């Protein structure tokens, strides 16, 4: 069952209350229009499918814990902050801090993304079809970041676990980050993701970045 | 790193069981986690390496015949001017390793503290003193009243400060939660996430089954504050939903401007799982939140979103380290916090660089005046509660903090000491002989949550009694009546720092 919400003139509290009420009433698909002024839209949801037509503000899909959220526009800062489960797809760009602190779930940005993509990622898979800014995967402790385009400076700065795959060029790696050769298993996995999210890329040309040490600070 | 040779360890062999009956006792060898003692080839215990002694005194505690003596090598500190034993050792350590020193606990030494203030008793001039033994004194505090649907209604003006699971053991966390339930106060998870027992115990239930059936085991039941810190370890939607309040940790007294430190030695399988990190890695939180990069704007938005995902029920606390207090408090209050907690430099830690502890941050008594001023300037003094922490040891410290303007205080280090800690400051190594900050299973067995909770309850009841006594001898029957007029400063510096009149005035 589908339910439409026009968010024009609504604040976060009103909108969230309407979304939660609809989900409680068994509605499985909610379509939201005119929500660009709202920060934190579709946050803290455990289930349901949410489609947002147009751009969204900052902190969209924060603490997502199982919902499937599609944004047909661009997202502001800190998209899917601290997500644990679920899927967030952005058919546009995402500003800086996309996918910070995520424990799990998947994020797919079909456009470009800003700096600090996947900072402190702990287990999510974050895919960006376009280019990305600096400090991708800073302090990351798990999960995967896959970038089809090019990346800026200091990738994987001080990360200690997880993998970053890059299809294009990158300017520099950060501390405790090194490039290693991509393996057949990686290529297979990337191909699966590309098929799943309908991304046109050849996984064989990707480069793989991993941490140098799991204890780079006081373990020296 | 412990200071080598800071203690002289001796044994009275005349009375030592193992010297009378070889092989019959080696308790000191067994309990010491630092291998200070050994057993010789004929079965007698002896001091084999007192250079490794950290002064934890576990050997004394366990020795059945009380034959061990530990003396501090303190006098040497006074013989070489600024080149104290400690300084020399620190330089040697740096020269040998290329690393700086890490330790636990907060700033030590001659810093301004609550001892520099004195409470003024009431006599003839009104108000007249109240009778502590026969009259009542109001000590309850509510956080979030009128702002959220489920405010924290604390039975006492003292909560347990944030100490993470990792920094302290599971048993110590359980003891704190249980004590909070018995006292009707709050305990904070710290930044390492939480485990189910902590939640049940804090609310007064011994297990999940009793919680489900609403069968309370411990009255009146307390509150669990969950921390939302810069590493976001163990944080999920469920973690927030099961909490009673959310504490956004910006900083900490013992390492202001730095993130949390948990060394790899303490990152066990369970802690690694809760935090989402590899086993044995150093878990260092970033200095800033990577989702509050544009501070003033983002903090405001984040508080709104945390309220929204928890259905506007729970108070939001912003916890600050001791920095530019006036401006920091203003930003936190304007962002919409229900309470602001500030940790002074005497506030403890499990691990922090020695120089960050000693040489950065403001001592606790220096925090309250600018914090109060910031709230007054914003006309939010009543609305936003002020929680002060950092070296609170007794009821007098509590009353002095309240009189300076705090609404509530938090104790951390004192709670650890109440459980048995002897302040050896080696919490980072995971070998706490009392099982309080240990992660080693054998050492953890030495701390029994029920017994430790009993000590915490006793300690807190005693200091609450002191709070009542000192409030009432000042002529008040409600802690909210305390003011700076109830205090005098013992020296000019303290008067200047706190705005309290100097004695003699």
């Amino acid at each position: 069952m589908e339910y439409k919400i026009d968010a024009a003139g609504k604040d976060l509290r009103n909108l969230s209350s309407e979304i939660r009420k609809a989900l409680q009433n068994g509605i499985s698909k909610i379509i939201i229009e005119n929500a660009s002024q709202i920060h934190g839209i579709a946050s803290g949801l455990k289930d349901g499918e949410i489609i947002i037509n147009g751009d969204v503000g900052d902190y969209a899909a924060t603490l997502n814990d199982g919902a499937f959220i599609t944004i047909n526009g661009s997202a502001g800062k800190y998209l899917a902050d601290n997500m644990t489960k679920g899927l967030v797809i952005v058919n546009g760009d995402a500003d800086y801090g996309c996918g910070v602190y995520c424990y799990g779930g998947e994020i797919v940005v079909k456009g470009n993304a800003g700096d600090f993509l996947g900072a402190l990622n702990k287990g999510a898979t974050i895919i960006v079809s376009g280019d990305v800014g600096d400090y991708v995967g800073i302090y990351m402790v798990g999960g995967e970041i896959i970038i089809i385009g090019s990346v800026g400076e200091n990738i994987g700065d001080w990360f200690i676990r997880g993998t970053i795959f890059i299809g294009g060029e990158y300017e520099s790696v950060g501390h405790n980050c090194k490039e290693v050769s991509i393996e057949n298993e990686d290529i297979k996995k990337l191909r699966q993701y590309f098929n799943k999210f309908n991304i046109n890329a050849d996984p064989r040309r990707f480069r793989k970045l991993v941490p140098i040490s799991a204890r780079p600070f006081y373990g020296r | 790193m412990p200071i080598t040779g800071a203690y002289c360890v001796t044994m009275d062999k005349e009375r030592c069981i193992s010297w009378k009956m070889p092989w019959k006792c080696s308790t000191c060898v067994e309990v010491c986690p630092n291998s200070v003692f050994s057993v010789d080839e004929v079965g007698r215990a002896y001091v084999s390496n007192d250079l490794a002694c950290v002064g934890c005194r576990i050997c004394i505690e366990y020795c059945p015949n009380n034959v061990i003596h530990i003396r501090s090598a303190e006098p040497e500190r006074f013989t070489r001017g600024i080149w104290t034993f400690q300084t020399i050792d620190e330089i040697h350590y740096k020269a040998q390793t290329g690393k700086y020193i890490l330790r636990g606990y907060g700033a030590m030494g001659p810093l301004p503290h609550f001892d520099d203030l004195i409470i003024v008793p009431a006599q003839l001039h009104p108000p007249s003193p109240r009778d502590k033994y026969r009259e009542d004194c109001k000590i309850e505090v509510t956080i979030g009243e009128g702002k959220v649907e489920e405010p924290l209604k604390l039975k006492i003006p003292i909560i347990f400060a944030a100490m993470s699971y990792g920094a302290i053991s599971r048993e110590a966390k359980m003891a704190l939660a249980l004590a909070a339930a018995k006292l009707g106060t709050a305990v904070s998870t710290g930044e390492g996430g939480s485990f189910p027992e902590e939640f049940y115990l804090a609310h007064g239930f011994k297990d999940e089954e009793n919680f489900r059936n609403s069968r309370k085991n411990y009255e009146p039941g307390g509150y669990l504050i969950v921390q939302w810190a810069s590493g976001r370890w163990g944080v999920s939607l469920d973690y927030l939903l099961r909490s009673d309040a959310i504490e956004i940790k910006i900083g900490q007294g013992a390492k202001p401007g730095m993130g949390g430190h948990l060394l790899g030695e303490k990152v066990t399988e369970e802690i690694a799982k809760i935090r989402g990190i590899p086993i044995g890695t150093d878990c260092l939180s970033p200095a800033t939140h990577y989702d509050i990069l544009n501070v003033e704007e983002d903090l405001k938005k984040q508080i709104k979103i945390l309220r929204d995902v928890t259905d506007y029920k729970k108070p939001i606390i912003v916890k600050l380290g001791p920095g530019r207090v006036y401006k920091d408090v203003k930003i936190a209050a304007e962002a919409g916090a229900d309470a602001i907690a500030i940790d002074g430099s005497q506030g403890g830690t499990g691990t922090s660089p020695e120089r960050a502890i000693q040489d950065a941050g403001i001592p606790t008594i220096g925090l309250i005046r600018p914090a109060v001023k910031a709230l007054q300037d914003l006309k939010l003094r009543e609305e936003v509660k002020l929680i002060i922490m950092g070296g609170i040891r007794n009821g007098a410290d509590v009353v002095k903090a309240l009189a300076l303007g705090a609404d509530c205080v938090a104790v951390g280090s004192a709670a650890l000491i109440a459980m048995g800690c002897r302040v050896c400051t080696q919490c980072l190594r995971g070998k706490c002989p009392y099982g309080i900050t240990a992660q080693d299973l054998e050492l953890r067995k030495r701390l029994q949550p029920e017994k430790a909770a009993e000590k915490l309850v006793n300690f807190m009841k005693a200091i609450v009694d002191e709070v009542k006594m000192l409030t009432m001898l000042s002529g008040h029957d409600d802690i909210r009546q305390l003011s700076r007029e109830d205090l005098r400063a013992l020296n000019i510096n303290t008067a200047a720092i706190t705005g309290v009149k100097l004695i003699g005035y």
Side-chain angles (χ1 to χ4, degrees):
Chain A
M1 205 159 57
E2 258 183 38
Y3 182 73
K4 281 193 180 174
I5 301 174
D6 185 352
K10 289 189 171 136
D11 64 10
L12 177 65
R13 189 170 189 168
N14 293 331
L15 180 60
S16 298
S17 157
E18 202 170 339
I19 293 171
R20 285 184 202 130
K21 218 172 274 175
L23 290 170
Q24 275 162 15
N25 289 335
I27 287 162
S28 56
K29 191 173 184 180
I30 298 170
I31 299 163
I32 304 168
E33 312 270 355
N34 303 313
S36 62
Q37 80 286 5
I38 293 173
H39 304 295
I41 189 170
S43 291
L45 298 177
K46 284 181 170 284
D47 50 27
E49 185 183 354
I50 313 286
I51 297 168
I52 305 163
N53 291 325
D55 296 344
V56 295
D58 302 335
Y59 297 100
T62 288
L63 286 156
N64 185 28
D65 194 38
F68 170 22
I69 298 163
T70 306
I71 297 161
N72 291 318
S74 288
K77 298 178 289 181
Y78 317 124
L79 173 78
D81 186 356
N82 214 131
M83 176 167 72
T84 38
K85 269 190 286 186
L87 170 61
V88 178
I89 296 177
V90 182
N91 289 311
D93 299 328
D95 206 335
Y96 65 79
C98 169
V100 291
Y101 296 115
C102 287
Y103 265 95
E106 293 169 324
I107 302 170
V108 182
V109 178
K110 292 292 177 83
N112 303 315
D115 299 340
F116 305 114
L117 176 87
L120 277 115
N121 181 24
K122 297 172 179 111
T125 299
I126 304 169
I127 303 170
V128 179
S129 292
D131 299 332
V132 178
D134 300 335
Y135 291 98
V136 167
I138 182 171
Y139 303 161
M140 187 160 116
V141 294
E144 284 165 341
I145 298 178
I146 303 162
I147 296 152
I148 317 303
S150 296
V151 184
E153 295 177 356
N154 288 309
I155 308 164
D157 201 29
W158 295 114
F159 81 143
I160 54 172
R161 192 168 62 180
T163 319
I164 302 172
F165 295 100
I166 298 171
E169 299 300 315
Y170 63 80
E171 286 180 39
S172 64
V173 293
H175 298 94
N176 202 46
C177 177
K178 65 176 180 188
E179 186 180 328
V180 294
S181 16
I182 192 159
E183 289 164 18
N184 286 338
E185 276 300 302
D186 301 317
I187 292 170
K188 200 174 148 192
K189 187 164 60 181
L190 289 177
R191 188 165 282 131
Q192 281 170 352
Y193 279 126
F194 297 161
N195 289 339
K196 182 177 174 185
F197 295 114
N198 207 11
I199 292 167
N200 184 19
D202 179 0
R204 289 170 301 178
R205 68 177 171 86
F206 275 67
R207 287 184 281 181
K208 180 181 179 182
L209 299 166
V210 295
I212 295 168
S213 159
R215 206 174 170 193
F217 299 102
Y218 291 109
R220 283 172 290 162
Chain B
M1 189 213 76
I3 296 161
T4 315
Y7 299 93
C8 306
V9 186
T10 52
M11 290 170 73
D12 182 352
K13 291 170 185 166
E14 294 282 306
R15 292 192 297 117
C16 176
I17 292 173
S18 78
W19 281 71
K20 287 184 200 165
M21 292 177 282
W23 305 110
K24 286 291 177 195
C25 180
S26 56
T27 307
C28 51
V29 182
E30 284 155 25
V31 296
C32 176
N34 300 307
S35 306
V36 171
F37 304 92
S38 300
V39 179
D40 67 15
E41 66 280 1
V42 291
R44 298 173 306 193
Y46 70 104
V47 178
S48 57
N49 183 18
D50 62 352
L51 291 182
C53 177
V54 298
C56 72
R57 290 171 169 78
I58 189 80
C59 50
I60 296 176
E61 197 113 331
Y62 276 76
C63 176
N65 262 14
N66 193 22
V67 302
I68 299 166
H69 303 285
I70 296 176
R71 284 178 293 109
S72 161
E74 197 74 20
E76 203 167 341
R77 291 173 190 228
F78 300 105
T79 60
R80 296 169 194 181
I82 60 166
W83 305 105
T84 61
F85 198 1
Q86 193 171 9
T87 303
I88 293 166
D89 225 62
E90 186 176 337
I91 293 170
H92 282 167
Y93 178 78
K94 286 172 177 167
Q96 282 162 17
T97 65
K99 294 175 184 174
Y100 50 73
I101 287 181
L102 297 166
R103 71 162 169 89
Y105 270 80
M108 295 175 183
L111 293 165
H113 200 48
F114 293 105
D115 292 339
D116 300 316
L117 293 167
I118 208 85
I119 296 161
V120 182
Q123 293 294 289
L124 291 175
H125 181 74
S128 54
R130 313 299 294 248
D131 191 326
K132 187 252 169 188
Y133 298 101
R134 296 169 186 83
E135 294 178 62
D136 201 17
C137 180
K138 284 187 186 150
I139 54 165
E140 296 83 8
V141 179
T142 303
I143 294 173
E145 195 165 28
K147 292 185 78 183
V148 294
E149 288 176 24
E150 295 170 3
L152 300 187
K153 292 182 176 173
L154 307 171
K155 301 275 183 210
I156 57 173
I158 311 165
I159 62 173
F160 291 119
M163 290 179 277
S164 73
Y165 176 37
I168 62 174
S169 67
R170 171 181 267 264
E171 290 71 19
K173 294 290 289 174
M174 288 165 73
L176 286 164
L178 180 49
K182 288 182 173 182
L183 292 158
T185 190
V187 59
S188 171
T189 57
E191 66 170 299
S194 186
F195 52 92
E197 291 94 323
E198 187 179 25
F199 170 82
Y200 303 127
L201 289 172
H203 289 89
F205 303 97
K206 72 172 185 183
D207 53 30
E208 188 176 353
E209 195 191 331
N210 282 10
F211 170 71
R212 279 182 202 279
N213 298 322
S214 301
R215 277 202 307 261
K216 234 179 205 179
N217 305 89
Y218 313 104
E219 293 291 348
Y223 298 102
L224 187 66
I225 300 170
V226 298
Q227 225 178 40
W228 172 272
S230 60
R232 217 58 64 74
W233 313 117
V235 173
S236 64
L237 181 61
D238 286 334
Y239 168 82
L240 300 180
L241 292 175
R242 300 194 84 181
S243 72
D244 301 297
I246 300 166
E247 183 173 69
I248 301 175
K249 179 195 173 187
I250 303 294
Q252 183 178 342
K255 47 191 165 203
M258 299 181 85
H261 283 49
L262 183 69
L263 294 199
E265 283 75 7
K266 294 173 80 170
V267 180
T268 59
E269 194 179 347
E270 190 187 5
I271 288 163
K273 196 177 164 196
I274 290 176
R275 293 189 179 220
I277 55 173
I279 298 168
T281 192
D282 296 320
C283 186
L284 303 187
S285 304
T288 56
H289 288 246
Y290 273 82
D291 53 2
I292 313 182
L293 293 170
N294 186 350
V295 176
E296 289 181 51
E297 181 194 306
D298 291 347
L299 185 62
K300 204 175 279 183
K301 287 178 190 166
Q302 199 166 79
I303 288 175
K304 273 189 188 168
I305 292 160
L306 289 173
R307 279 200 201 289
D308 189 68
V309 297
T310 53
D311 215 9
Y312 301 86
K313 287 181 179 164
K314 306 167 199 297
I316 309 273
I317 302 163
V318 173
K319 185 193 173 199
L320 301 166
R324 292 174 179 84
V325 180
Y326 178 83
K327 287 189 174 171
D328 291 341
V329 168
K330 243 183 155 176
I331 290 170
E334 280 177 325
D338 300 312
I340 296 169
I342 323 178
D343 191 10
S345 66
Q346 286 104 336
T349 176
T351 313
S352 180
E354 171 78 22
R355 292 294 128 227
I357 301 173
Q358 284 299 130
D359 297 292
I362 314 288
T364 309
I365 63 162
L367 308 172
I368 309 175
R369 191 187 191 191
V372 170
K373 175 88 169 65
L375 295 178
Q376 281 170 341
D377 289 352
L378 290 171
K379 300 196 185 337
L380 291 172
R381 182 65 198 91
E382 294 304 314
E383 203 176 324
V384 180
K385 300 294 181 207
L386 195 57
I387 305 167
I388 292 294
M389 62 188 89
I392 302 281
R393 304 155 297 176
N394 51 46
D397 289 351
V398 179
V399 167
K400 290 169 188 176
L402 297 177
L404 286 172
D407 295 291
C408 176
V409 302
V411 293
S413 301
L416 300 187
I417 296 168
M419 283 193 269
C421 166
R422 299 290 180 135
V423 197
C424 76
T425 74
Q426 298 307 306
C427 325
L428 61 155
R429 302 166 78 204
K431 288 185 176 175
C432 173
Y434 297 93
I436 299 166
T437 64
Q439 296 307 336
D440 175 279
L441 194 59
E442 285 307 310
L443 295 171
R444 280 170 44 199
K445 282 180 188 166
R446 296 181 187 178
L447 189 78
Q448 292 167 21
E450 289 268 359
K451 282 189 178 170
E454 202 178 311
K455 289 180 183 173
L456 285 166
V457 171
N458 286 340
F459 167 66
M460 293 283 265
K461 278 187 173 164
I463 64 173
V464 165
D465 236 19
E466 287 175 338
V467 169
K468 285 182 182 172
M469 174 183 69
L470 295 167
T471 303
M472 297 179 89
L473 67 78
S474 308
H476 307 300
D477 59 6
D478 186 333
I479 53 167
R480 282 169 295 191
Q481 293 162 356
L482 289 163
S483 72
R484 266 187 275 183
E485 189 43 45
D486 296 309
L487 301 174
R488 290 292 181 274
L490 292 173
N491 55 58
I492 292 171
N493 285 350
T494 310
I497 291 165
T498 58
V500 165
K501 285 179 194 165
L502 193 62
I503 47 165
Y505 287 87

